[in-house]
């Protein structure tokens, strides 16, 4: 790719990645949503979180990997338990990162 | 007051910063390998701020693809943000739209997860949004610069365990978020649909439409369960 093409690509990607984030907020904020829609939207957050969590652990490299070789699955177990018990983001992060460092260096891919 | 919210936003961005470190770094490395210079890689992280989208653009570039291919792939992959942003509207509508719209350029999977978790419990504010989104964006740009610049020196960032910073953050935010039974069911069901869709339609995993499919079906299930109660 020529330098011009690279910059064109960057600008094009910028436009299509920023508009979907900015337009809904810019255009829809002045409307009062109907109750039904508000309720539906309130379920978007848990749905997105469920999907993102599942993908980040079960498909960490971009494809589904349900095997004992997927160290993200193993690291998930102590992380999840600490999250439930402690309800502390800090402790959960430390647990997750340390577990992953240990797993990667000693049982690693 | 405002200062405190700004600080809380910055504080809440720490897990994201940790997670972006290896991801932005990897982007910087890949971008230079694909033929971008430091300035181009940095410009892309400043102007686009979309992890998956930037990786795809680099892939297209490396494969000798056309500019329009990279743009169209991004058009698809970033559609999930329409859904995220729309679900934020009810929380942000009391705030000045020009600021919320401007700061929404910092909306990503990660900042969405953190922000919506907070707004469900506390009032949203411009200061909090600025602290969270700008710090996250800064770390994305900074780690891109490091990767593009020093990429050849540090060969393997995985061994630091930071690859699990974002999965751990998602896990924890999910635990925080599901206080009601209906939310828990929606999350589990959506996770299942997302993986099923990735399994049945491998392309949906590549363009992340599986997140959209799972969210649409998951949230609709939430309505059904809630109606019954």
């Amino acid at each position: 790719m020529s330098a011009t093409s690279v910059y064109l690509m960057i600008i094009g990607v910028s436009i299509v990645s920023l508009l979907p984030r900015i337009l809904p907020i810019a255009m829809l904020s002045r409307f009062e949503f109907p109750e039904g829609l508000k309720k539906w939207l309130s379920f978007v957050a848990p749905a997105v979180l469920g999907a993102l969590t599942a993908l980040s652990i079960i498909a960490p490299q971009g494809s589904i990997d349900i095997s004992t070789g997927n160290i993200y699955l193993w690291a998930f177990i102590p992380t999840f338990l600490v999250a439930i018990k402690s309800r502390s983001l800090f402790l959960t992060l430390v647990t997750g990162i340390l577990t992953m460092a240990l797993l990667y260096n000693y049982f690693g891919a | 007051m405002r200062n405190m919210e700004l600080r809380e936003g910055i504080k809440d961005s720490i897990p994201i910063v940790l997670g972006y470190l290896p991801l932005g770094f990897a982007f910087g490395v890949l971008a230079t390998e694909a033929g971008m210079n430091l300035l181009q890689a940095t410009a892309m992280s400043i102007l686009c701020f979309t992890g998956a989208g930037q990786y795809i653009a680099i892939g297209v570039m490396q494969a000798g693809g056309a500019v329009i291919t990279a743009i169209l792939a991004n058009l698809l992959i970033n559609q999930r943000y329409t859904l995220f942003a729309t679900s934020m509207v009810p929380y942000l509508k009391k705030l000045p739209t020009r600021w919320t719209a401007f700061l929404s350029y910092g909306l990503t999977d990660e900042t969405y997860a953190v922000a919506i978790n907070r707004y469900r419990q506390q009032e949203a504010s411009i200061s909090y949004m600025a602290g969270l989104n700008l710090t996250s964006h800064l770390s994305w740009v900074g780690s891109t610069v490091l990767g593009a610049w020093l990429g050849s020196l540090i060969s393997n960032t995985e061994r630091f365990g930071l690859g699990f910073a974002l999965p751990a953050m998602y896990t924890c935010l999910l635990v925080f978020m599901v206080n009601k039974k209906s939310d828990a069911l929606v999350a589990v069901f959506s996770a299942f649909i997302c993986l099923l869709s990735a399994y049945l339609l491998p392309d949906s995993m590549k363009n992340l439409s599986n997140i959209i499919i799972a969210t649409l079906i998951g949230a609709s299930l939430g309505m059904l369960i809630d109606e019954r109660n």
Side-chain angles (χ1 to χ4, degrees):
Chain A
M1 254 185 213
S2 67
T4 320
S5 301
V6 171
Y7 283 112
L8 272 178
M9 178 182 86
I10 292 173
I11 291 165
V13 170
S14 174
I15 293 170
V16 298
S17 55
L18 296 191
L19 285 185
R21 313 175 196 188
I22 293 175
L23 280 185
I25 310 263
M27 313 293 287
L28 301 177
S29 289
R30 76 189 90 147
F31 299 110
E32 186 61 44
F33 289 169
E35 283 308 312
L37 179 60
K38 269 198 221 164
K39 196 173 194 184
W40 187 85
L41 287 174
S42 77
F43 285 112
V44 166
V48 169
L49 249 290
L52 289 176
T53 309
L55 285 179
S56 73
I57 286 153
I58 297 174
Q61 315 293 345
S63 57
I64 296 179
D65 179 5
I66 304 176
S67 72
T68 52
N70 179 358
I71 50 178
Y72 284 70
L73 274 177
W74 293 109
F76 172 71
I77 300 168
T79 305
F80 183 58
L81 292 177
V82 169
I84 291 179
K85 281 279 168 202
S86 73
R87 299 192 76 82
S88 149
L89 181 56
F90 177 74
L91 285 180
T92 308
L93 267 188
V94 171
T95 307
I97 292 171
L98 283 182
T99 312
M100 179 46 76
L102 284 174
L103 285 171
Y104 185 85
N105 290 299
Y106 293 101
F107 306 92
Chain B
M1 191 57 191
R2 284 196 174 161
N3 251 331
M4 207 182 84
E5 303 227 318
L6 180 72
R7 242 187 319 215
E8 280 177 12
I10 295 172
K11 200 187 95 201
D12 286 357
S13 78
I14 292 172
I16 301 181
V17 171
L18 288 177
Y20 279 177
L21 220 56
L23 293 175
F25 192 91
F27 170 74
V29 174
L30 290 172
T32 48
E33 278 174 8
M36 277 195 186
N37 59 35
L38 177 64
L39 182 68
Q40 291 165 334
T42 310
M44 189 162 207
S45 281
I46 292 174
L47 295 174
C48 304
F49 195 21
T50 167
Q54 287 179 228
Y55 285 124
I56 284 190
I58 292 300
V60 170
M61 202 175 146
Q62 202 149 28
V67 169
I68 192 72
T69 312
I71 297 173
L72 287 178
N74 264 274
L75 186 64
L76 201 59
I77 206 170
N78 291 313
Q79 277 320 309
R80 66 189 189 288
Y81 294 136
T82 309
L83 205 51
F84 295 5
T86 308
S87 85
M88 284 207 148
V89 168
Y91 299 102
L92 300 179
K93 62 181 307 170
K94 282 188 216 140
L95 302 169
T97 304
R98 59 176 187 281
W99 283 109
T100 53
F102 171 69
L103 287 171
S104 294
Y105 93 100
L107 181 73
T108 62
D109 295 345
E110 295 80 14
T111 57
Y112 173 76
V114 170
I116 201 84
N117 194 60
R118 179 181 167 100
Y119 301 161
R120 281 160 67 103
Q121 295 146 27
Q122 288 173 65
E123 286 280 309
S125 75
I126 297 291
S127 306
Y128 180 83
M129 260 184 110
L132 176 70
N133 290 9
L134 295 178
T135 314
S136 302
H137 195 179
L138 200 65
S139 74
W140 177 248
V141 175
S143 55
T144 301
V145 172
L146 285 179
W149 188 32
L150 304 171
S152 49
L153 300 179
I154 306 169
S155 58
N156 182 358
T157 56
E158 295 241 10
R159 63 199 150 103
F160 304 117
L162 289 178
F164 208 71
L166 294 177
M169 182 186 82
Y170 288 144
T171 304
C172 194
L173 292 178
L174 187 61
V175 168
F176 286 169
M177 188 173 286
V178 293
N179 295 315
K180 288 190 306 180
K181 199 175 159 198
S182 55
D183 286 342
L185 278 170
V186 166
V188 170
F189 186 68
S190 168
F192 174 74
I193 297 286
C194 187
L195 294 169
L196 185 70
S197 158
Y199 177 73
L200 296 176
L201 310 159
D203 273 347
S204 74
M205 180 80 218
K206 288 196 200 95
N207 58 39
L208 296 183
S209 60
N210 55 350
I211 297 179
I212 302 179
I213 297 170
T215 304
L216 293 177
I217 300 179
S220 304
L221 175 89
M223 292 292 273
L224 277 179
I225 309 172
D226 231 46
E227 297 287 300
R228 284 204 201 121
N229 294 341

